[in-house]
Each structure stands twice: as structure tokens, then as C-alpha cells.
Amino acid sequence: MNRRTLLGLLGSGTAVGVAGCVNVPEPLRSTPTVTDGLQRRVAIIDQNAVPDGHGVRIRAELLDRRITGESTATVRLTTTNEGEPRELSVGTGGCVLLNRERQGSDPAGLWLRRRAGMDQSDDVGPRWVATDLPASPGGFGGYGCAARTYASGESVATDYAVLHDGRVDGYLSSDEYRFEAAVTVGEPSPDSDGSTESFTWGFSMRVKDPD
């Protein structure tokens, strides 16, 4: 795959800057040992509903469910404020819903990388592997993320490329994988009294060999 092809693959996730957020470089490695044809199929098999009372909706959807030598699957996560203006811990850049260690699956094996954070200077595919990942959560760095104020009805969407976690043996093993993150909700400043509420949201994906 050449650079022009890669640029065409990049998603259109929101790119608004957020105070306190730092974008973290996320390099990829190309290891051309897998066929250029259809490698895997991906499906979303389950996702949580946000608990009642928060006025927030989070949705996971697949924009592309096929992994081939030319492109990998893409997951879009969209957070929407369905009530009055409020602060949410879901931002943009390095402060998106799944960031740092939360980009990894349970069980380990998949890694969701922001399309906007993929290295545009390197060729990628036909093997989609996230490399240079820290061995422990502390290795991702200690940058902080400020809460983002959502207007009524506002949504923030982030597109993620589905990659194999390079710390795990094998390659995109057929299995079911879970991703989860804690979300904090609060009143917008300066009206906030400092109190917040939290809930955990997540979804599950299935990876299958092509039929």
C-alpha cells in the first residue's frame, strides 16, 4: 500500500482541540507475511446502554467490517449529550473515549487505534499490527484530560482502526473481545459544584476467519 492509499483510509473523527489533552504518537509496523485478500471479518455483538438518568448516549458501529491486505476494519464510537449542557470525560485527540491502555481488548489480542493518530508517513498492510506498545499502563505517560463541555444535542465521534496487539503472539485470532471505559458526567462550569457521577460503558467484538 502506498501513501496515497493510506491517506484515503483515514477516518473523519472530530478534531477539536481540548485543554489538557496531549496527542500521543502511535507508530505502526508493516510485516508483509499475510495475503492481500480477505483476512478476517469483524462484528459488534454487544454494547452497553448508558444507565438511565445521565442524559448521554454512546454508540459503537462498524464502518467497515472486513480486514484485507488493503484496509482494516473501522469502528466508530459516538458520544451524544441528549440533555442539558454538561461536562463529560469523553474528549478528542488523546482524550477520546478509548485512550491509552483502554484501547486494548480483554482478552488481549486487539488494539483500537485512532485513525487520526495513525502515522501517515509509513506504508501499512497487508499485516495490521500495533507495535511499540508499553508493557504496562504506566508506560503510556501521565498526561491529564480535562472534561469537555457538551452543548445540548452535541455529539463527538472517533474512528478507530482494528489492529492486532503486537504484544500478543499470533495475528488477529478468532475470538470475542471486550472494550470498556469509565465515563464521568458533571455540570458545566461555572455552575458546577464539583460533584460528578460515573458509569462504565463498553462493547464486544467478534473476529472470525473468512468463510
Side-chain angles (χ1 to χ4, degrees), residues 12 28 93 107 119 125 128 130 136-137 156 160 163 166 184-185:
S12 57
L28 294 176
D119 187 351
W128 304 91
S136 65
V156 169
Y160 296 85
L163 307 176
T184 301
V185 184

Side-chain angles (χ1 to χ4, degrees), residues 68 75 86 167 208:
T68 72
V75 180
R86 70 193 72 222
R167 300 169 297 185
K208 294 179 60 177

